[in-house]
Amino acid sequence: LIHVWNNLISNAIKFSPQNGIIRMRLKQDSDWIIFIIEDDGPGVNEDAKKYIFNKFYQADTSHKEEGYGLGLALVKRIIDIANGHVEVENLYPKGCRFVVYLPKDR
């Protein structure tokens, strides 16, 4: 799971403006451990949200030299193997939120 946390935190840093705020929360409900990370970046284009977890997909090509589009695909694959799921949503007026759900009983 270190790859999951490293990738999500690195992406939040990469896409946040200088002096932006990154918020992380960890909570649980009866069935899930829930990790939430939010940033102040531009968010994810609505069309791109369909593909953001695909290998080699890069929604923001201005950061193309900083990666190969494998990070979020790896996040999804690791979370799937752990019987969890990951979601992405935009915050308004700006920012992005990734939510990782991991089952409590694994």
Side-chain angles (χ1 to χ4, degrees), residues 8 14 19 28 53 61-62 73 75 99:
L8 293 176
K14 178 167 51 174
N19 298 318
Q28 65 179 334
F53 295 107
T61 57
S62 69
V75 165
V99 183

Side-chain angles (χ1 to χ4, degrees), residues 20-104:
I21 296 174
I22 296 170
R23 294 163 296 284
M24 292 184 284
R25 290 179 281 158
L26 185 64
K27 61 184 186 174
Q28 65 179 334
D29 66 18
S30 59
D31 300 317
W32 301 98
I33 303 296
I34 304 163
F35 172 76
I36 302 161
I37 184 163
E38 300 172 341
D39 65 50
D40 289 340
V44 179
N45 177 297
E46 289 300 318
D47 291 331
K49 285 169 51 174
K50 300 174 205 167
Y51 308 105
I52 199 163
F53 295 107
N54 291 357
K55 285 183 188 177
F56 307 114
Y57 184 78
Q58 292 182 321
D60 180 353
T61 57
S62 69
H63 290 82
K64 194 170 186 77
E65 70 281 354
E66 297 178 35
Y68 298 102
L70 293 172
L72 291 176
L74 181 61
V75 165
K76 179 159 180 17
R77 182 70 180 128
I78 291 168
I79 297 303
D80 286 349
I81 288 169
N83 295 316
H85 61 278
V86 58
E87 300 172 355
V88 60
E89 59 190 83
N90 285 316
L91 303 173
Y92 295 100
K94 62 181 178 173
C96 186
R97 174 186 297 137
F98 282 86
V99 183
V100 174
Y101 295 86
L102 293 169
K104 285 176 82 171

